[in-house]
mmCIF file of all heavy atoms in Angstrom:
data_model
loop_
_atom_site.group_PDB
_atom_site.id
_atom_site.type_symbol
_atom_site.label_atom_id
_atom_site.label_comp_id
_atom_site.label_asym_id
_atom_site.label_seq_id
_atom_site.Cartn_x
_atom_site.Cartn_y
_atom_site.Cartn_z
ATOM 1 N N PHE A 1269 -8.683 -11.865 -0.627
ATOM 2 C CA PHE A 1269 -9.308 -10.851 0.223
ATOM 3 C C PHE A 1269 -8.353 -9.649 0.419
ATOM 4 O O PHE A 1269 -8.765 -8.468 0.244
ATOM 5 C CB PHE A 1269 -9.686 -11.441 1.558
ATOM 6 C CG PHE A 1269 -9.776 -10.469 2.730
ATOM 7 C CD1 PHE A 1269 -10.824 -9.571 2.802
ATOM 8 C CD2 PHE A 1269 -8.781 -10.407 3.664
ATOM 9 C CE1 PHE A 1269 -10.899 -8.626 3.788
ATOM 10 C CE2 PHE A 1269 -8.822 -9.502 4.655
ATOM 11 C CZ PHE A 1269 -9.913 -8.590 4.750
ATOM 12 N N LEU A 1270 -7.101 -9.934 0.746
ATOM 13 C CA LEU A 1270 -6.142 -8.878 1.034
ATOM 14 C C LEU A 1270 -5.926 -8.082 -0.251
ATOM 15 O O LEU A 1270 -5.894 -6.818 -0.163
ATOM 16 C CB LEU A 1270 -4.830 -9.522 1.494
ATOM 17 C CG LEU A 1270 -3.772 -8.662 2.045
ATOM 18 C CD1 LEU A 1270 -4.286 -7.864 3.298
ATOM 19 C CD2 LEU A 1270 -2.523 -9.434 2.452
ATOM 20 N N HIS A 1271 -5.817 -8.703 -1.349
ATOM 21 C CA HIS A 1271 -5.597 -8.071 -2.606
ATOM 22 C C HIS A 1271 -6.776 -7.117 -2.938
ATOM 23 O O HIS A 1271 -6.597 -5.949 -3.283
ATOM 24 C CB HIS A 1271 -5.414 -9.083 -3.692
ATOM 25 C CG HIS A 1271 -5.293 -8.496 -5.062
ATOM 26 N ND1 HIS A 1271 -4.129 -7.877 -5.536
ATOM 27 C CD2 HIS A 1271 -6.183 -8.415 -6.096
ATOM 28 C CE1 HIS A 1271 -4.324 -7.433 -6.748
ATOM 29 N NE2 HIS A 1271 -5.554 -7.689 -7.120
ATOM 30 N N GLU A 1272 -7.975 -7.616 -2.738
ATOM 31 C CA GLU A 1272 -9.173 -6.827 -3.070
ATOM 32 C C GLU A 1272 -9.322 -5.688 -2.100
ATOM 33 O O GLU A 1272 -9.773 -4.618 -2.453
ATOM 34 C CB GLU A 1272 -10.405 -7.740 -3.021
ATOM 35 C CG GLU A 1272 -10.513 -8.686 -4.219
ATOM 36 C CD GLU A 1272 -10.588 -7.887 -5.548
ATOM 37 O OE1 GLU A 1272 -11.334 -6.936 -5.615
ATOM 38 O OE2 GLU A 1272 -9.901 -8.294 -6.501
ATOM 39 N N ALA A 1273 -8.944 -5.888 -0.834
ATOM 40 C CA ALA A 1273 -9.017 -4.813 0.140
ATOM 41 C C ALA A 1273 -8.039 -3.686 -0.271
ATOM 42 O O ALA A 1273 -8.404 -2.545 -0.346
ATOM 43 C CB ALA A 1273 -8.686 -5.317 1.541
ATOM 44 N N HIS A 1274 -6.834 -4.084 -0.560
ATOM 45 C CA HIS A 1274 -5.795 -3.148 -0.981
ATOM 46 C C HIS A 1274 -6.203 -2.378 -2.239
ATOM 47 O O HIS A 1274 -5.951 -1.191 -2.355
ATOM 48 C CB HIS A 1274 -4.450 -3.844 -1.161
ATOM 49 C CG HIS A 1274 -3.776 -4.138 0.114
ATOM 50 N ND1 HIS A 1274 -2.669 -4.969 0.212
ATOM 51 C CD2 HIS A 1274 -4.054 -3.747 1.395
ATOM 52 C CE1 HIS A 1274 -2.325 -5.090 1.500
ATOM 53 N NE2 HIS A 1274 -3.122 -4.360 2.221
ATOM 54 N N ARG A 1275 -6.823 -3.093 -3.151
ATOM 55 C CA ARG A 1275 -7.282 -2.451 -4.423
ATOM 56 C C ARG A 1275 -8.236 -1.296 -4.126
ATOM 57 O O ARG A 1275 -8.360 -0.329 -4.875
ATOM 58 C CB ARG A 1275 -8.003 -3.508 -5.270
ATOM 59 C CG ARG A 1275 -7.714 -3.376 -6.772
ATOM 60 C CD ARG A 1275 -8.111 -4.583 -7.521
ATOM 61 N NE ARG A 1275 -9.503 -5.002 -7.287
ATOM 62 C CZ ARG A 1275 -10.584 -4.474 -7.857
ATOM 63 N NH1 ARG A 1275 -10.424 -3.454 -8.658
ATOM 64 N NH2 ARG A 1275 -11.778 -4.970 -7.570
ATOM 65 N N ARG A 1276 -9.004 -1.441 -3.035
ATOM 66 C CA ARG A 1276 -9.939 -0.386 -2.656
ATOM 67 C C ARG A 1276 -9.330 0.644 -1.681
ATOM 68 O O ARG A 1276 -10.069 1.474 -1.051
ATOM 69 C CB ARG A 1276 -11.156 -1.001 -2.006
ATOM 70 C CG ARG A 1276 -12.030 -1.775 -2.968
ATOM 71 C CD ARG A 1276 -12.991 -2.692 -2.195
ATOM 72 N NE ARG A 1276 -13.907 -3.354 -3.056
ATOM 73 C CZ ARG A 1276 -13.667 -4.476 -3.743
ATOM 74 N NH1 ARG A 1276 -12.444 -5.010 -3.646
ATOM 75 N NH2 ARG A 1276 -14.561 -5.010 -4.524
ATOM 76 N N GLY A 1277 -8.018 0.515 -1.462
ATOM 77 C CA GLY A 1277 -7.374 1.461 -0.552
ATOM 78 C C GLY A 1277 -7.597 1.181 0.915
ATOM 79 O O GLY A 1277 -7.387 1.984 1.784
ATOM 80 N N LEU A 1278 -8.082 -0.015 1.183
ATOM 81 C CA LEU A 1278 -8.340 -0.449 2.580
ATOM 82 C C LEU A 1278 -7.121 -1.234 3.079
ATOM 83 O O LEU A 1278 -6.675 -2.163 2.447
ATOM 84 C CB LEU A 1278 -9.512 -1.395 2.598
ATOM 85 C CG LEU A 1278 -10.844 -1.007 3.040
ATOM 86 C CD1 LEU A 1278 -11.794 -2.221 2.948
ATOM 87 C CD2 LEU A 1278 -10.892 -0.475 4.462
ATOM 88 N N ARG A 1279 -6.700 -0.865 4.269
ATOM 89 C CA ARG A 1279 -5.575 -1.642 4.892
ATOM 90 C C ARG A 1279 -6.139 -2.747 5.752
ATOM 91 O O ARG A 1279 -7.366 -2.713 6.159
ATOM 92 C CB ARG A 1279 -4.701 -0.762 5.674
ATOM 93 C CG ARG A 1279 -3.810 0.150 4.826
ATOM 94 C CD ARG A 1279 -2.828 0.942 5.719
ATOM 95 N NE ARG A 1279 -1.726 1.441 4.945
ATOM 96 C CZ ARG A 1279 -1.765 2.609 4.309
ATOM 97 N NH1 ARG A 1279 -2.834 3.329 4.372
ATOM 98 N NH2 ARG A 1279 -0.691 3.005 3.652
ATOM 99 N N VAL A 1280 -5.318 -3.722 6.062
ATOM 100 C CA VAL A 1280 -5.774 -4.845 6.865
ATOM 101 C C VAL A 1280 -4.725 -5.185 7.916
ATOM 102 O O VAL A 1280 -3.563 -5.422 7.564
ATOM 103 C CB VAL A 1280 -5.982 -6.098 5.936
ATOM 104 C CG1 VAL A 1280 -6.326 -7.344 6.768
ATOM 105 C CG2 VAL A 1280 -7.037 -5.853 4.907
ATOM 106 N N ILE A 1281 -5.111 -5.207 9.160
ATOM 107 C CA ILE A 1281 -4.223 -5.765 10.167
ATOM 108 C C ILE A 1281 -4.840 -7.033 10.765
ATOM 109 O O ILE A 1281 -6.043 -7.134 10.761
ATOM 110 C CB ILE A 1281 -3.863 -4.756 11.274
ATOM 111 C CG1 ILE A 1281 -5.091 -4.349 12.108
ATOM 112 C CG2 ILE A 1281 -3.169 -3.525 10.755
ATOM 113 C CD1 ILE A 1281 -4.785 -3.528 13.347
ATOM 114 N N THR A 1282 -3.993 -7.923 11.201
ATOM 115 C CA THR A 1282 -4.511 -9.190 11.716
ATOM 116 C C THR A 1282 -4.089 -9.354 13.187
ATOM 117 O O THR A 1282 -3.234 -8.636 13.691
ATOM 118 C CB THR A 1282 -3.967 -10.367 10.930
ATOM 119 O OG1 THR A 1282 -2.535 -10.299 10.915
ATOM 120 C CG2 THR A 1282 -4.458 -10.346 9.520
ATOM 121 N N ASP A 1283 -4.683 -10.303 13.861
ATOM 122 C CA ASP A 1283 -4.362 -10.567 15.254
ATOM 123 C C ASP A 1283 -3.084 -11.384 15.340
ATOM 124 O O ASP A 1283 -2.956 -12.385 14.610
ATOM 125 C CB ASP A 1283 -5.451 -11.296 15.959
ATOM 126 C CG ASP A 1283 -6.115 -10.467 17.055
ATOM 127 O OD1 ASP A 1283 -5.410 -10.194 18.040
ATOM 128 O OD2 ASP A 1283 -7.316 -10.121 16.886
ATOM 129 N N LEU A 1284 -2.165 -10.982 16.170
ATOM 130 C CA LEU A 1284 -0.934 -11.706 16.379
ATOM 131 C C LEU A 1284 -0.910 -12.163 17.804
ATOM 132 O O LEU A 1284 -0.852 -11.348 18.734
ATOM 133 C CB LEU A 1284 0.256 -10.812 16.073
ATOM 134 C CG LEU A 1284 1.644 -11.385 16.351
ATOM 135 C CD1 LEU A 1284 1.956 -12.452 15.360
ATOM 136 C CD2 LEU A 1284 2.690 -10.297 16.272
ATOM 137 N N VAL A 1285 -1.098 -13.431 18.063
ATOM 138 C CA VAL A 1285 -1.143 -13.933 19.417
ATOM 139 C C VAL A 1285 0.241 -14.512 19.797
ATOM 140 O O VAL A 1285 0.634 -15.621 19.413
ATOM 141 C CB VAL A 1285 -2.242 -15.041 19.541
ATOM 142 C CG1 VAL A 1285 -2.335 -15.436 21.040
ATOM 143 C CG2 VAL A 1285 -3.572 -14.507 19.048
ATOM 144 N N LEU A 1286 0.978 -13.641 20.536
ATOM 145 C CA LEU A 1286 2.373 -13.994 20.858
ATOM 146 C C LEU A 1286 2.495 -14.779 22.123
ATOM 147 O O LEU A 1286 3.410 -15.616 22.264
ATOM 148 C CB LEU A 1286 3.141 -12.673 21.053
ATOM 149 C CG LEU A 1286 3.349 -11.795 19.851
ATOM 150 C CD1 LEU A 1286 3.867 -10.454 20.332
ATOM 151 C CD2 LEU A 1286 4.360 -12.363 18.892
ATOM 152 N N ASN A 1287 1.636 -14.559 23.060
ATOM 153 C CA ASN A 1287 1.838 -15.011 24.450
ATOM 154 C C ASN A 1287 1.677 -16.511 24.627
ATOM 155 O O ASN A 1287 2.320 -17.135 25.412
ATOM 156 C CB ASN A 1287 0.907 -14.260 25.382
ATOM 157 C CG ASN A 1287 1.078 -14.705 26.807
ATOM 158 O OD1 ASN A 1287 2.127 -14.523 27.389
ATOM 159 N ND2 ASN A 1287 0.035 -15.365 27.356
ATOM 160 N N HIS A 1288 0.710 -17.060 23.828
ATOM 161 C CA HIS A 1288 0.355 -18.462 24.089
ATOM 162 C C HIS A 1288 -0.063 -19.114 22.766
ATOM 163 O O HIS A 1288 -0.364 -18.451 21.780
ATOM 164 C CB HIS A 1288 -0.838 -18.542 25.054
ATOM 165 C CG HIS A 1288 -1.896 -17.576 24.752
ATOM 166 N ND1 HIS A 1288 -1.941 -16.294 25.306
ATOM 167 C CD2 HIS A 1288 -2.981 -17.622 23.898
ATOM 168 C CE1 HIS A 1288 -3.012 -15.672 24.844
ATOM 169 N NE2 HIS A 1288 -3.634 -16.400 23.993
ATOM 170 N N THR A 1289 -0.104 -20.416 22.772
ATOM 171 C CA THR A 1289 -0.704 -21.173 21.626
ATOM 172 C C THR A 1289 -1.872 -21.966 22.150
ATOM 173 O O THR A 1289 -2.202 -21.903 23.359
ATOM 174 C CB THR A 1289 0.325 -22.206 21.049
ATOM 175 O OG1 THR A 1289 0.511 -23.259 22.033
ATOM 176 C CG2 THR A 1289 1.642 -21.531 20.731
ATOM 177 N N SER A 1290 -2.490 -22.747 21.272
ATOM 178 C CA SER A 1290 -3.463 -23.702 21.699
ATOM 179 C C SER A 1290 -2.701 -24.921 22.268
ATOM 180 O O SER A 1290 -1.595 -25.199 21.867
ATOM 181 C CB SER A 1290 -4.307 -24.129 20.519
ATOM 182 O OG SER A 1290 -4.908 -25.371 20.742
ATOM 183 N N ASP A 1291 -3.393 -25.682 23.117
ATOM 184 C CA ASP A 1291 -2.765 -26.941 23.568
ATOM 185 C C ASP A 1291 -2.759 -27.953 22.416
ATOM 186 O O ASP A 1291 -2.162 -29.016 22.511
ATOM 187 C CB ASP A 1291 -3.439 -27.503 24.847
ATOM 188 C CG ASP A 1291 -4.875 -27.776 24.681
ATOM 189 O OD1 ASP A 1291 -5.431 -27.561 23.560
ATOM 190 O OD2 ASP A 1291 -5.532 -28.225 25.653
ATOM 191 N N GLN A 1292 -3.461 -27.625 21.339
ATOM 192 C CA GLN A 1292 -3.462 -28.491 20.176
ATOM 193 C C GLN A 1292 -2.326 -28.160 19.185
ATOM 194 O O GLN A 1292 -2.149 -28.842 18.185
ATOM 195 C CB GLN A 1292 -4.824 -28.404 19.416
ATOM 196 C CG GLN A 1292 -5.980 -28.756 20.255
ATOM 197 C CD GLN A 1292 -5.891 -30.152 20.860
ATOM 198 O OE1 GLN A 1292 -5.683 -31.121 20.129
ATOM 199 N NE2 GLN A 1292 -5.997 -30.214 22.185
ATOM 200 N N HIS A 1293 -1.616 -27.138 19.490
ATOM 201 C CA HIS A 1293 -0.502 -26.781 18.593
ATOM 202 C C HIS A 1293 0.554 -27.926 18.659
ATOM 203 O O HIS A 1293 0.838 -28.402 19.715
ATOM 204 C CB HIS A 1293 0.136 -25.437 19.022
ATOM 205 C CG HIS A 1293 1.057 -24.841 17.979
ATOM 206 N ND1 HIS A 1293 2.256 -25.433 17.694
ATOM 207 C CD2 HIS A 1293 0.914 -23.770 17.149
ATOM 208 C CE1 HIS A 1293 2.845 -24.717 16.703
ATOM 209 N NE2 HIS A 1293 2.043 -23.727 16.412
ATOM 210 N N PRO A 1294 1.123 -28.292 17.467
ATOM 211 C CA PRO A 1294 2.138 -29.348 17.478
ATOM 212 C C PRO A 1294 3.257 -29.118 18.475
ATOM 213 O O PRO A 1294 3.777 -30.073 19.067
ATOM 214 C CB PRO A 1294 2.639 -29.395 16.028
ATOM 215 C CG PRO A 1294 1.633 -28.713 15.225
ATOM 216 C CD PRO A 1294 0.844 -27.804 16.121
ATOM 217 N N TRP A 1295 3.659 -27.875 18.685
ATOM 218 C CA TRP A 1295 4.691 -27.605 19.667
ATOM 219 C C TRP A 1295 4.275 -28.132 21.085
ATOM 220 O O TRP A 1295 5.068 -28.790 21.760
ATOM 221 C CB TRP A 1295 5.004 -26.127 19.834
ATOM 222 C CG TRP A 1295 5.518 -25.428 18.576
ATOM 223 C CD1 TRP A 1295 6.151 -26.015 17.524
ATOM 224 C CD2 TRP A 1295 5.415 -24.059 18.272
ATOM 225 N NE1 TRP A 1295 6.431 -25.096 16.580
ATOM 226 C CE2 TRP A 1295 6.044 -23.858 17.014
ATOM 227 C CE3 TRP A 1295 4.921 -22.954 18.952
ATOM 228 C CZ2 TRP A 1295 6.141 -22.594 16.414
ATOM 229 C CZ3 TRP A 1295 5.073 -21.686 18.410
ATOM 230 C CH2 TRP A 1295 5.661 -21.516 17.110
ATOM 231 N N PHE A 1296 3.065 -27.835 21.449
ATOM 232 C CA PHE A 1296 2.637 -28.247 22.788
ATOM 233 C C PHE A 1296 2.389 -29.777 22.793
ATOM 234 O O PHE A 1296 2.700 -30.447 23.813
ATOM 235 C CB PHE A 1296 1.413 -27.471 23.254
ATOM 236 C CG PHE A 1296 1.115 -27.675 24.720
ATOM 237 C CD1 PHE A 1296 1.946 -27.120 25.674
ATOM 238 C CD2 PHE A 1296 0.065 -28.438 25.146
ATOM 239 C CE1 PHE A 1296 1.732 -27.282 27.040
ATOM 240 C CE2 PHE A 1296 -0.168 -28.629 26.542
ATOM 241 C CZ PHE A 1296 0.678 -28.067 27.450
ATOM 242 N N GLN A 1297 1.867 -30.275 21.720
ATOM 243 C CA GLN A 1297 1.636 -31.728 21.657
ATOM 244 C C GLN A 1297 2.984 -32.468 21.828
ATOM 245 O O GLN A 1297 3.024 -33.463 22.535
ATOM 246 C CB GLN A 1297 1.036 -32.073 20.292
ATOM 247 C CG GLN A 1297 -0.395 -31.545 20.097
ATOM 248 C CD GLN A 1297 -1.379 -32.234 20.989
ATOM 249 O OE1 GLN A 1297 -1.411 -33.467 20.989
ATOM 250 N NE2 GLN A 1297 -2.149 -31.504 21.744
ATOM 251 N N GLN A 1298 3.991 -31.945 21.212
ATOM 252 C CA GLN A 1298 5.350 -32.535 21.397
ATOM 253 C C GLN A 1298 5.820 -32.284 22.855
ATOM 254 O O GLN A 1298 6.256 -33.219 23.502
ATOM 255 C CB GLN A 1298 6.351 -31.847 20.451
ATOM 256 C CG GLN A 1298 6.235 -32.263 18.999
ATOM 257 C CD GLN A 1298 6.654 -33.713 18.807
ATOM 258 O OE1 GLN A 1298 7.561 -34.205 19.424
ATOM 259 N NE2 GLN A 1298 5.967 -34.394 17.879
ATOM 260 N N ALA A 1299 5.712 -31.072 23.232
ATOM 261 C CA ALA A 1299 6.239 -30.655 24.559
ATOM 262 C C ALA A 1299 5.716 -31.501 25.721
ATOM 263 O O ALA A 1299 6.438 -31.760 26.663
ATOM 264 C CB ALA A 1299 5.949 -29.194 24.801
ATOM 265 N N ARG A 1300 4.476 -31.881 25.585
ATOM 266 C CA ARG A 1300 3.905 -32.610 26.738
ATOM 267 C C ARG A 1300 4.132 -34.150 26.645
ATOM 268 O O ARG A 1300 3.689 -34.879 27.516
ATOM 269 C CB ARG A 1300 2.402 -32.284 26.867
ATOM 270 C CG ARG A 1300 1.512 -32.930 25.854
ATOM 271 C CD ARG A 1300 0.088 -32.375 25.914
ATOM 272 N NE ARG A 1300 -0.404 -32.139 27.274
ATOM 273 C CZ ARG A 1300 -1.610 -31.678 27.526
ATOM 274 N NH1 ARG A 1300 -2.469 -31.376 26.579
ATOM 275 N NH2 ARG A 1300 -1.992 -31.464 28.750
ATOM 276 N N LYS A 1301 4.869 -34.568 25.590
ATOM 277 C CA LYS A 1301 5.185 -36.014 25.522
ATOM 278 C C LYS A 1301 6.184 -36.483 26.556
ATOM 279 O O LYS A 1301 5.997 -37.551 27.131
ATOM 280 C CB LYS A 1301 5.743 -36.298 24.095
ATOM 281 C CG LYS A 1301 4.668 -36.441 23.061
ATOM 282 C CD LYS A 1301 5.216 -37.028 21.775
ATOM 283 C CE LYS A 1301 4.130 -37.251 20.798
ATOM 284 N NZ LYS A 1301 4.535 -37.202 19.420
ATOM 285 N N SER A 1302 7.227 -35.676 26.727
ATOM 286 C CA SER A 1302 8.201 -36.096 27.757
ATOM 287 C C SER A 1302 9.044 -34.879 28.160
ATOM 288 O O SER A 1302 9.082 -33.896 27.421
ATOM 289 C CB SER A 1302 9.128 -37.176 27.195
ATOM 290 O OG SER A 1302 9.961 -36.575 26.208
ATOM 291 N N LYS A 1303 9.668 -34.996 29.335
ATOM 292 C CA LYS A 1303 10.447 -33.875 29.818
ATOM 293 C C LYS A 1303 11.669 -33.539 28.941
ATOM 294 O O LYS A 1303 12.154 -32.442 28.987
ATOM 295 C CB LYS A 1303 10.917 -34.139 31.261
ATOM 296 C CG LYS A 1303 9.833 -33.962 32.297
ATOM 297 C CD LYS A 1303 10.416 -34.109 33.669
ATOM 298 C CE LYS A 1303 9.347 -34.036 34.735
ATOM 299 N NZ LYS A 1303 9.824 -34.462 36.043
ATOM 300 N N ASP A 1304 12.093 -34.569 28.178
ATOM 301 C CA ASP A 1304 13.281 -34.283 27.377
ATOM 302 C C ASP A 1304 12.950 -34.049 25.892
ATOM 303 O O ASP A 1304 13.814 -34.055 25.025
ATOM 304 C CB ASP A 1304 14.336 -35.363 27.521
ATOM 305 C CG ASP A 1304 13.796 -36.750 27.238
ATOM 306 O OD1 ASP A 1304 12.615 -36.779 26.762
ATOM 307 O OD2 ASP A 1304 14.475 -37.730 27.506
ATOM 308 N N ASN A 1305 11.666 -33.857 25.637
ATOM 309 C CA ASN A 1305 11.294 -33.567 24.214
ATOM 310 C C ASN A 1305 11.895 -32.214 23.812
ATOM 311 O O ASN A 1305 11.925 -31.301 24.608
ATOM 312 C CB ASN A 1305 9.761 -33.500 24.106
ATOM 313 C CG ASN A 1305 9.335 -33.362 22.676
ATOM 314 O OD1 ASN A 1305 9.405 -32.320 22.066
ATOM 315 N ND2 ASN A 1305 8.862 -34.466 22.135
ATOM 316 N N PRO A 1306 12.409 -32.170 22.552
ATOM 317 C CA PRO A 1306 13.046 -30.886 22.107
ATOM 318 C C PRO A 1306 12.110 -29.644 22.254
ATOM 319 O O PRO A 1306 12.610 -28.516 22.346
ATOM 320 C CB PRO A 1306 13.402 -31.156 20.665
ATOM 321 C CG PRO A 1306 13.199 -32.576 20.387
ATOM 322 C CD PRO A 1306 12.501 -33.224 21.570
ATOM 323 N N TYR A 1307 10.821 -29.900 22.221
ATOM 324 C CA TYR A 1307 9.879 -28.754 22.331
ATOM 325 C C TYR A 1307 9.463 -28.431 23.754
ATOM 326 O O TYR A 1307 8.699 -27.517 23.995
ATOM 327 C CB TYR A 1307 8.632 -29.002 21.483
ATOM 328 C CG TYR A 1307 8.917 -28.878 19.990
ATOM 329 C CD1 TYR A 1307 9.239 -29.945 19.202
ATOM 330 C CD2 TYR A 1307 8.903 -27.572 19.426
ATOM 331 C CE1 TYR A 1307 9.512 -29.830 17.856
ATOM 332 C CE2 TYR A 1307 9.195 -27.405 18.057
ATOM 333 C CZ TYR A 1307 9.483 -28.528 17.285
ATOM 334 O OH TYR A 1307 9.796 -28.363 15.949
ATOM 335 N N ARG A 1308 9.949 -29.272 24.676
ATOM 336 C CA ARG A 1308 9.565 -29.048 26.109
ATOM 337 C C ARG A 1308 9.754 -27.623 26.549
ATOM 338 O O ARG A 1308 8.892 -26.991 27.138
ATOM 339 C CB ARG A 1308 10.410 -29.980 26.998
ATOM 340 C CG ARG A 1308 9.994 -29.917 28.490
ATOM 341 C CD ARG A 1308 8.702 -30.656 28.702
ATOM 342 N NE ARG A 1308 8.407 -30.773 30.112
ATOM 343 C CZ ARG A 1308 7.249 -31.303 30.532
ATOM 344 N NH1 ARG A 1308 6.378 -31.756 29.675
ATOM 345 N NH2 ARG A 1308 6.974 -31.417 31.802
ATOM 346 N N ASP A 1309 10.878 -27.064 26.144
ATOM 347 C CA ASP A 1309 11.289 -25.722 26.611
ATOM 348 C C ASP A 1309 10.578 -24.602 25.819
ATOM 349 O O ASP A 1309 10.894 -23.435 26.035
ATOM 350 C CB ASP A 1309 12.801 -25.606 26.458
ATOM 351 C CG ASP A 1309 13.384 -24.588 27.391
ATOM 352 O OD1 ASP A 1309 12.749 -24.357 28.410
ATOM 353 O OD2 ASP A 1309 14.431 -23.978 27.031
ATOM 354 N N TYR A 1310 9.643 -24.983 24.926
ATOM 355 C CA TYR A 1310 8.841 -23.950 24.285
ATOM 356 C C TYR A 1310 7.785 -23.370 25.238
ATOM 357 O O TYR A 1310 7.204 -22.377 24.994
ATOM 358 C CB TYR A 1310 8.136 -24.539 23.041
ATOM 359 C CG TYR A 1310 8.912 -24.381 21.757
ATOM 360 C CD1 TYR A 1310 10.304 -24.707 21.693
ATOM 361 C CD2 TYR A 1310 8.309 -23.929 20.589
ATOM 362 C CE1 TYR A 1310 10.972 -24.595 20.511
ATOM 363 C CE2 TYR A 1310 9.020 -23.828 19.372
ATOM 364 C CZ TYR A 1310 10.359 -24.160 19.375
ATOM 365 O OH TYR A 1310 11.015 -24.028 18.184
ATOM 366 N N TYR A 1311 7.577 -24.093 26.325
ATOM 367 C CA TYR A 1311 6.527 -23.687 27.254
ATOM 368 C C TYR A 1311 7.110 -23.589 28.671
ATOM 369 O O TYR A 1311 8.307 -23.859 28.873
ATOM 370 C CB TYR A 1311 5.364 -24.722 27.211
ATOM 371 C CG TYR A 1311 4.683 -24.720 25.855
ATOM 372 C CD1 TYR A 1311 5.162 -25.524 24.836
ATOM 373 C CD2 TYR A 1311 3.634 -23.777 25.568
ATOM 374 C CE1 TYR A 1311 4.589 -25.462 23.559
ATOM 375 C CE2 TYR A 1311 3.085 -23.770 24.312
ATOM 376 C CZ TYR A 1311 3.550 -24.582 23.336
ATOM 377 O OH TYR A 1311 2.999 -24.529 22.088
#
Side-chain angles (χ1 to χ4, degrees):
F1269 155 73
L1270 191 60
H1271 175 77
E1272 287 299 316
H1274 282 168
R1275 215 165 56 77
R1276 290 164 175 82
L1278 255 180
R1279 287 185 161 87
V1280 175
I1281 63 171
T1282 54
D1283 245 295
L1284 174 69
V1285 185
L1286 294 166
N1287 180 65
H1288 46 267
T1289 69
S1290 158
D1291 60 1
Q1292 303 304 306
H1293 194 290
W1295 298 336
F1296 193 70
Q1297 293 291 309
Q1298 285 291 325
R1300 75 189 322 179
K1301 278 192 176 153
S1302 68
K1303 281 187 185 167
D1304 55 9
N1305 188 284
Y1307 286 95
R1308 185 74 174 176
D1309 205 26
Y1310 269 46
Y1311 295 89

